[in-house]
Amino acid sequence: MYQDVLTQINESQMILVGIGNELSCYHGIDWNVEKEFSDWKEIFLTNEESSQNEIQGFYKILSDILNGKNYFIITTNVDDLIYESGLKPERIVAPCGSKNRLQCRCEGEDGLIKTPKQYYDAASACICEKCGYAYEPNIYNKNYYNENGYLKQWHLYNKWLQGTLNRKLTILELGCDFSFMSLIRLPFEKIALINQKSFYYRINGHFPQITGELKEKMKSVFCTPQEFFKKFKGSREIQEL
């Protein structure tokens, strides 16, 4: 199966990648539970240290595999580790937010600021003078979410998707659960149904099930993305297939 995936990627004109929380430092954390800023800071500074090396290693492999390819990646993760790899930021959209941005209640981009680790303490005490609300992480939740942090990339992503029609397309769904089915699992299945030249791989250590409508053009792999691609040796491996 591993060689099949690499061959499929090498022969495709475009590659669509969806990345879920099996590749997140914060796997299993419920973002919708109300938290103080100190709680967010503890999550950000503690959880990422435990798993980021393995995840960064995976992104390096993915970067080598996609090198020179026409790809776009949508990720539901907010840890921003994907941006520390060789993957092109202009080919990535993260609609669930970023741990490195804060939001207040001001409208548009005025309600967003970037927040590297060294500013967490200062930001936790800040109240926005314009709206009177305390800053909080710009991460999707049911109470309030400023979407302007990702909308520019979202428009680029949708424009790119329009160009996949009638192109030989490989779809890689990597470690996605059912938390944000409307972003990856269901839209990807729809794309595969419409595009007769597509092939879909669902690589997942927990939920690898496939739909009957796609059984002829979809394969599932019951393991985590990290486990599946750990054999990859480098970009030359694809070129020699």
Side-chain angles (χ1 to χ4, degrees):
M1 179 72 77
Y2 170 76
Q3 291 298 330
D4 288 345
V5 172
L6 293 185
T7 300
Q8 187 74 29
I9 291 172
N10 194 45
E11 295 177 352
S12 291
Q13 295 170 286
M14 305 177 80
I15 298 99
L16 172 61
V17 183
I19 293 178
N21 66 5
E22 282 189 344
L23 287 160
S24 170
C25 282
Y26 314 126
H27 180 71
I29 293 172
D30 186 354
W31 303 108
N32 288 308
V33 175
E34 187 173 350
K35 299 178 178 69
E36 298 293 332
F37 198 100
S38 58
D39 297 326
W40 291 111
K41 185 177 73 170
E42 183 177 357
I43 290 171
F44 292 153
L45 297 181
T46 303
N47 287 69
E48 70 174 27
E49 294 175 0
S50 64
S51 58
Q52 69 176 359
N53 289 337
E54 181 184 9
I55 296 171
Q56 286 174 322
F58 169 82
Y59 284 136
K60 175 61 171 65
I61 292 172
L62 186 63
S63 176
D64 287 343
I65 289 173
L66 297 180
N67 183 41
K69 304 296 181 182
N70 184 359
Y71 67 88
F72 217 107
I73 300 170
I74 175 171
T75 176
T76 60
N77 296 331
V78 302
D79 54 33
D80 283 2
L81 291 179
I82 193 170
Y83 297 108
E84 299 175 16
S85 65
L87 294 162
K88 298 177 180 179
E90 65 271 21
R91 296 294 185 125
I92 302 168
V93 61
C96 293
S98 165
K99 64 147 183 150
N100 287 324
R101 284 195 303 266
L102 291 182
Q103 63 184 19
C104 58
R105 298 299 174 96
C106 292
E107 295 183 0
E109 295 186 7
D110 290 340
L112 297 170
I113 59 173
K114 290 187 176 180
T115 325
K117 291 179 185 177
Q118 59 265 36
Y119 298 138
Y120 283 166
D121 286 326
S124 65
C126 285
I127 301 292
C128 177
E129 295 181 357
K130 290 184 179 180
C131 67
Y133 279 87
Y135 283 102
E136 59 184 356
N138 179 226
I139 292 171
Y140 171 81
N141 65 74
K142 295 177 181 177
N143 296 321
Y144 179 77
Y145 178 46
N146 187 333
E147 297 184 297
N148 285 276
Y150 77 88
L151 284 181
K152 181 179 178 180
Q153 283 302 108
W154 185 256
H155 295 319
L156 291 176
Y157 169 61
N158 280 284
K159 184 176 181 180
W160 183 90
L161 282 180
Q162 294 172 12
T164 63
L165 190 62
N166 204 35
R167 297 287 185 91
K168 189 166 185 181
L169 174 70
T170 295
I171 301 173
L172 297 176
E173 183 196 300
L174 307 175
C176 301
D177 63 10
F178 302 111
S179 300
F180 297 98
M181 290 182 65
S182 62
L183 291 176
I184 297 178
R185 290 179 76 105
L186 295 180
F188 279 24
E189 290 176 3
K190 184 176 180 180
I191 291 167
L193 282 171
I194 294 172
N195 188 338
Q196 299 303 311
K197 296 182 179 180
S198 66
F199 201 89
Y200 193 144
Y201 293 97
R202 174 168 285 158
I203 302 172
N204 197 300
H206 296 86
F207 308 107
Q209 298 84 356
I210 64 176
T211 176
E213 294 176 297
L214 290 171
K215 63 181 180 180
E216 300 299 326
K217 55 191 309 185
M218 182 178 186
K219 290 184 179 179
S220 68
V221 182
F222 195 7
C223 69
T224 67
Q226 299 95 310
E227 292 169 339
F228 185 75
F229 287 109
K230 66 183 179 181
K231 298 178 182 178
F232 185 75
K233 301 298 189 301
S235 58
R236 183 177 297 179
E237 185 172 354
I238 288 182
Q239 298 170 3
E240 292 178 348
L241 289 175

